[in-house]
Amino acid sequence: MAETIKPLLDKLGVKPGSRVAVVDIDDASFVKLLRERTGDVVLGKPRRVCDIVFLGARDKADLDRLRQAKRWIEPNGAIWMVRQKGPGSPLRDTDLIEAGLAAGLVDNKIASFSDTHGAMRFVFRLKDRPK
């Protein structure tokens, strides 16, 4: 019996009609996939709150942007921080987790974004969700 592979956008929680922002991720095929799933995709800082923000991170300085990006999501929204994976990556999972906590967010899922990149999802704790 063949194993079914869950499509990337399903793993990342992108539903039809989701409001999505893509910030500092240069991946035309990913953006194309998003636009096939939802008509509400913004490249760069969104003008209104989103359900999901995909935020690229190359180094530790980029992690500080979680504080700003949390203002871009709905109370039950998510930020996926996308970064290089593997031993050559300048960012470790613990770096992302610490940055999330410092921004008042908690990580609750990890996914393989591509062959070269991984993603970690950050959300508001239930008790910390904006009203």
Side-chain angles (χ1 to χ4, degrees):
M1 192 180 227
E3 180 183 339
T4 51
I5 299 170
K6 194 171 186 181
L8 177 62
L9 295 185
D10 291 349
K11 284 194 294 188
L12 299 174
V14 180
K15 296 175 176 58
S18 292
R19 288 187 314 277
V20 178
V22 180
V23 181
D24 291 334
I25 297 174
D26 187 21
D27 185 336
S29 61
F30 177 64
V31 173
K32 182 177 184 286
L33 261 182
L34 285 171
R35 289 194 164 134
E36 289 169 359
R37 174 74 55 103
T38 177
D40 199 343
V41 178
V42 171
L43 302 181
K45 180 182 175 183
R47 293 177 189 266
R48 59 191 182 108
V49 293
C50 295
D51 299 304
I52 303 173
V53 172
F54 292 96
L55 186 61
R58 288 173 199 80
D59 55 41
K60 288 187 179 181
D62 288 341
L63 299 180
D64 292 336
R65 293 181 303 152
L66 272 172
R67 289 180 197 275
Q68 183 181 18
K70 81 178 196 179
R71 294 193 300 263
W72 303 343
I73 59 170
E74 294 283 357
N76 63 344
I79 300 166
W80 281 98
M81 182 143 282
V82 178
R83 48 68 168 93
Q84 180 185 335
K85 61 185 175 184
S89 174
L91 296 170
R92 299 183 323 271
D93 285 351
T94 52
D95 297 327
L96 274 70
I97 292 166
E98 289 169 8
L101 292 172
L105 300 167
V106 62
D107 64 291
N108 70 350
K109 190 171 184 179
I110 294 178
S112 179
F113 186 79
S114 68
D115 291 343
T116 58
H117 286 71
M120 184 177 290
R121 182 172 66 187
F122 292 91
V123 297
F124 289 106
R125 285 185 187 92
L126 282 173
K127 68 179 184 70
D128 295 337
R129 285 193 180 165
K131 301 292 184 254

